[in-house]
Amino acid sequence: MPEEIIVAHESENLTGTVRVSGAKNSALKLVAASLLGQGKTVIHNVPLISDVSIMAEVLRCLGSQVERQGHTLTIDTSTVDSCKTPYNLVSKMRASISVLGPLVGRFGRAEVAMPGGCQIGARKIDMHLVGMQQLGVHFENDHGFLVASTPNGLHGGTIMLEFPSVGATENTMMAAVVAEGVTIIDNAAREPEIEDLANMLNAMGARITGAGTACIRIEGVPLSSMHPCEHYTVGDRIEAGTFLVGGALMGGPLTVEGVNPDHLRMAIMKLRAMGCEVETSDKSVTVRRSAPLQAVDIQTLPHPGFPTDLQAQFMLLTTLAQGNSIITENVFENRFMVAAEMSRMGADVTIEDHHALVRGVSRLQGADIEATDLRAGAALVLGGLIAEGTTRVHNIKHIDRGYEDYVGKLASLGAKVERVVVEDCEL
Ligand code: EPZ
């Protein structure tokens, strides 16, 4: 069975300027939120990635018309006639659970296939349910489908999230915008993508304040007053951070454009702690390094803490740093699988529960390796650029889920990297 892989050769440097795409972890929710307005919503700066294609398919299954022109999606929800999502699409992408809140807001009910777990963890949705139950939503399990109903209508409530879950904050917020009365979400997620979603909902007629802080207040408005809008997706801070790690690894200077540097404060702090020089302007970040990489300790935490989505990329950096680094993964229960792949390249990583001890080595060697999730895959390709020889990264569908033209963007920065279809016998 032929397989498309990414082949990365030892490269001189990664230098120049790259413009990041719109944020995957915002765009998916913006598409879902369009269900709350009858008519044509236009979303710009949408990344060309497979997860967005799946979410667009989910909206079409609900009866929407979805058209893409380049990085712009036009979603006409005036023909939406179903509140049931198909299992085959939800099983492909758990983020499709993000239609739950808008469907409950629009129809007062929803039937969403229960999302499965994935490589990095169980990915439960209990906090989504607890949050929405405070708004009068009842849930039942029906043969793998979550059936939501609002027998007494959708009303405001006070929600205290046990953990600042991004998805739970988003689903609860999207249902609350058309609930009767005021909703307070306490211990809310503070990720920039939450703010981006709230900005779009407010442009549609919602009344949300406090998005981006731990306490979000939503004053419910009638569904009939919600209307379509035009919105520009926030730049992808994780894609930007991935390229900055590449510049830190190879020396740079490498500039990322199209991202708000404020969304990368913790990552920038850690790059500086590892011996990099980092300069920022209002819409770009530049990294360069001439001194040896220094070891660093990292704890992943909800925003503004260190982002778990940059953990694999920084682990790669620490494998070549002088000294020992400790990386603690506090957000997902199984997000160290990349370590085994890096070890195949000669890295020295020991995993103990949710801690990784990384002892810096002087060189990595090219090898055949597997992308275990999209961020790990992106990190491993970077590893192949600095490793001696050639690295072949398999399972690259993970990378295509969240990185638009990753190989093309890296090649534009001087990387010797390509996508190749190989036959079984070559694997
Ligand atoms: C979003 O996932 C992102 N995905 C993830 O990005 C990101 O890593 C994560 O937020 C944290 O920033 C999208 O936005 C599509 P959570 P989400 O709810 O919403 C547990 C990437 O690489 N939890 O904040 O699922 C959960 O299992 C992806 O782009 C519950 O236990 O994250 C996890 O351990 C990976 N019950 C932790 O909380 C719940 O009801 C954080 O989950 C909800 C979550």
Side-chain angles (χ1 to χ4, degrees), residues 27-38:
L28 295 174
K29 293 53 168 300
L30 301 176
V31 171
S34 67
L35 289 164
L36 285 164
Q38 294 251 10

Side-chain angles (χ1 to χ4, degrees), residues 22 106 113-114 150 170 205 224 258 284-285 327 352 372 408 410 425:
R106 179 159 175 162
M114 292 287 282
T150 51
E170 292 163 338
S224 57
S284 72
V285 184
I327 298 175
E352 188 70 45
T372 48
L410 285 173
C425 55

Side-chain angles (χ1 to χ4, degrees), residues 24-26 28-29 51 93-98 118 120-130 163-170 189 191 193 236-238 301-303 307-310 329-333 335 373-375 401-403:
K24 164 179 89 80
N25 292 346
S26 181
L28 295 174
K29 293 53 168 300
D51 269 10
M93 183 188 65
R94 60 174 315 283
S96 36
I97 191 72
S98 300
C118 68
I120 62 177
R123 310 299 295 272
K124 297 189 307 182
I125 59 167
D126 53 311
M127 288 185 256
H128 297 235
L129 309 187
V130 167
F163 176 90
S165 152
V166 170
T169 301
E170 292 163 338
E191 275 68 4
E193 294 75 30
D236 194 321
R237 62 193 168 100
I238 304 301
L301 286 166
H303 193 77
T308 173
D309 294 346
L310 288 177
E329 173 57 57
N330 295 307
V331 178
F332 287 103
E333 64 267 33
R335 204 168 195 178
D373 76 76
L374 74 157
R375 308 304 175 186
R401 286 189 46 207
Y403 287 88

Side-chain angles (χ1 to χ4, degrees), residues 244 254-255 261 268 272 277-281 284-288:
L244 289 173
L254 186 151
T255 298
I268 290 170
R272 287 174 173 152
E277 295 159 50
V278 182
E279 292 147 28
T280 63
S281 75
S284 72
V285 184
T286 299
V287 65
R288 56 170 55 84

Side-chain angles (χ1 to χ4, degrees), residues 26-156:
S26 181
L28 295 174
K29 293 53 168 300
L30 301 176
V31 171
S34 67
L35 289 164
L36 285 164
Q38 294 251 10
K40 283 189 180 182
T41 286
V42 179
I43 307 173
H44 299 291
N45 200 32
V46 176
L48 292 161
I49 54 177
S50 56
D51 269 10
V52 167
S53 305
I54 294 172
M55 185 59 97
E57 208 39 51
V58 171
L59 267 286
R60 289 189 187 100
C61 287
L62 296 169
S64 305
Q65 317 289 323
V66 183
E67 281 169 33
R68 176 190 275 282
Q69 290 88 24
H71 291 95
T72 295
L73 275 188
T74 302
I75 306 161
D76 184 348
T77 62
S78 51
T79 51
V80 169
D81 55 5
S82 162
C83 65
K84 180 169 184 175
T85 63
Y87 169 74
N88 68 314
L89 290 175
V90 174
S91 61
K92 277 186 198 162
M93 183 188 65
R94 60 174 315 283
S96 36
I97 191 72
S98 300
V99 298
L100 177 63
L103 286 175
V104 167
R106 179 159 175 162
F107 292 106
R109 60 176 284 107
E111 285 185 57
V112 181
M114 292 287 282
C118 68
Q119 291 84 342
I120 62 177
R123 310 299 295 272
K124 297 189 307 182
I125 59 167
D126 53 311
M127 288 185 256
H128 297 235
L129 309 187
V130 167
M132 294 174 74
Q133 281 161 347
Q134 301 299 313
L135 308 181
V137 184
H138 291 202
F139 291 102
E140 285 172 45
N141 275 353
D142 179 12
H143 298 89
F145 278 82
L146 189 66
V147 179
S149 60
T150 51
N152 306 311
L154 201 56
H155 56 72

Side-chain angles (χ1 to χ4, degrees), residues 169-186:
T169 301
E170 292 163 338
N171 255 329
T172 306
M173 184 166 73
M174 288 191 276
V177 295
V178 290
E180 195 167 330
V182 173
T183 296
I184 302 288
I185 305 176
D186 213 345

